[in-house]
């Protein structure tokens, strides 16, 4: 055993071996030395238990493998084949090429972020977007923050932050997912919630009663994005709310959630109220997301009355919630695509994917089917199948889009084989995320645009099975 201990190489010897030199080159001296020390400690323990000693080259090769595994990206690109186009857990909207180019330019160098190129004086970050947003929404003024949750928080804090009353229908006290619950946000914003009406029915008289209370600062209307109340229901029209708010001398705030800029019915989707309509209905402020139906990066828009936007910009919280140059660059490029609606579906991935026809997707499924079947072998019955996609991110929650995909059903019907496949797909070089339904794993191909890359990636499964 003493001879074995003496055979343990020194740290220096491991660093000088060919794998050691490579490890230093790739991961740096500090990391390489530290991993080698760890492995040498483990080597001493192993030898004490009777293991045969490894040479310097062997230890260095192990260190290299450990370092390589640890350097793999954590935030990895995946194939989203869940059928949910705007999947919050998978990063929502995929950006347009124009937005990607603008972002890369903004990353590479200095940009005139808060600098007025005409005068050489100080500019404002909102200057880049204000005119464009107003042009697309018909609003008087606009500002941007980190996301729509921040937009709602900032609006409530600015207009009602000192315990001012915010009148909201009980049918609109929503939870968006995670920790975004309207009553909680309201409390954190310093506003006082005045609940009116009932879950299913809220009338004009309920709003009037709410507005008659002491210290009301605003009416808040919230788009019930991720659920729908059907049957015996009643809500009050935004135009009526605008009139009531005007009579009471308080602003009407409309949190649209997804907030689309165009009529989606043009592409066969269900009509959603557009931001322009919400502004025209008389809302004093409208808030909406950048990375939902709009198809841009994460951001929160606040559009509406000039005096209110000015008050929002004076709120010190605005600074804490502001958008960085990268997202501003991506947003400007994304919004500019809306100036040409004829080519929007071609250029904006979110719309392109949502508008994709079932036939188009089915053709793709047929083309990929043989390679998919070959990749998993005879354990699974692999067929092209019809399926239903969803928009996601709370937009049109009950609507589905006819789609197509590939279904993998274990021949022996075992749940274990299904779980194994789902895990193996997630373990591919580019992880593939599908959906398990009714005893089969389904890959909805609506969001697949790189078919060859996908098929090459799937071949990795065959290696796993072999
Ligand atoms: C999604 C949503 C939010 C939150 O928007 P984020 O951009 O995700 O922060 C707020 N309100 C409504 C109605 C929503 O649908």
């Amino acid at each position: 055993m003493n001879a074995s201990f003496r055979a343990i190489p020194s740290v220096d010897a491991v660093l000088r071996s060919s794998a050691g030199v490579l490890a230093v080159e790739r991961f740096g001296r500090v990391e390489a030395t530290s991993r080698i020390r760890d492995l040498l400690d483990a080597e001493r323990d192993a030898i004490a238990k009777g293991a045969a000693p490894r040479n310097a080259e062997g230890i260095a090769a192990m260190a290299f493998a450990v370092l390589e595994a640890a350097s793999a990206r954590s935030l990895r690109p995946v194939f989203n084949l869940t059928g949910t186009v705007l999947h919050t857990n998978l990063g929502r909207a995929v950006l347009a090429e124009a937005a990607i180019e603008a972002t890369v330019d903004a990353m590479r160098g200095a940009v005139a972020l808060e600098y007025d190129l005409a005068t050489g004086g100080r500019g404002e970050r909102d200057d880049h977007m204000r005119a464009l947003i107003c042009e697309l929404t018909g609003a008087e003024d606009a500002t941007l923050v980190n996301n729509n949750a921040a937009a709602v928080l900032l609006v409530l804090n600015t207009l009602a932050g000192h315990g001012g009353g915010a009148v909201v229908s009980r049918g609109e006290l929503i939870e968006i997912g995670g920790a975004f619950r309207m009553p909680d946000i309201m409390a954190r914003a310093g506003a006082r919630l005045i609940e009116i009406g009932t879950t299913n029915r809220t009338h004009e008289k309920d709003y009037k009663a709410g507005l008659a209370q002491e210290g009301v600062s605003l009416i808040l209307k919230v788009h019930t994005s991720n659920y729908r109340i059907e049957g015996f229901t009643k809500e009050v029209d935004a135009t009526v709310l605008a009139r009531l708010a005007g009579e009471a001398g308080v602003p009407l705030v409309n949190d649209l959630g997804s907030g689309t800029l165009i009529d989606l019915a043009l592409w066969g989707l269900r009509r959603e109220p557009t931001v322009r309509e919400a502004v025209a209905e008389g809302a004093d402020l409208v808030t909406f997301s950048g990375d939902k139906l709009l198809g841009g990066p994460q951001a929160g828009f606040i559009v509406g009355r000039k005096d209110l936007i000015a008050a929002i910009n004076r709120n010190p919280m605005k600074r804490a919630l502001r958008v960085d140059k990268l997202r501003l660059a991506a947003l400007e490029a994304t919004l500019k695509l809306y100036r040409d609606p004829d080519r929007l579906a071609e250029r904006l991935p979110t719309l392109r994917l949502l508008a994709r026809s079932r036939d188009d997707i089915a053709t793709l499924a047929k083309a990929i089917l043989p390679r998919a079947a070959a990749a998993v072998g005879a354990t699974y019955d692999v067929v092209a199948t019809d399926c239903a996609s969803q928009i996601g991110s709370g937009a049109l929650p009950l609507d589905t889009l006819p789609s197509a995909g590939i279904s993998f059903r274990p021949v022996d019907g075992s749940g274990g084989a299904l779980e194994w496949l789902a895990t193996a797909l997630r373990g591919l070089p580019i992880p593939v995320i599908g959906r398990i339904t009714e005893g089969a794993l389904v890959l909805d191909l609506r969001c697949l645009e790189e078919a060859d890359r996908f098929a090459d990636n799937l071949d990795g499964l065959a290696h796993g099975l072999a």
Side-chain angles (χ1 to χ4, degrees), residues 8-11 14 36-44 59:
I8 297 175
S10 67
V11 174
V14 180
I36 288 167
R37 281 194 207 286
D38 292 348
L39 288 170
L40 288 174
D41 286 346
E43 181 77 355
R44 266 175 222 106
I59 304 253

Side-chain angles (χ1 to χ4, degrees), residues 92 147-149 174 176 180 222-223 225 255 257-258 289 291-292:
R92 289 194 184 159
N147 59 4
N148 189 35
I174 54 169
I176 305 287
F180 189 81
V222 187
H223 191 292
S225 311
D255 175 21
S258 205
S289 286
D291 56 354
K292 293 186 180 172

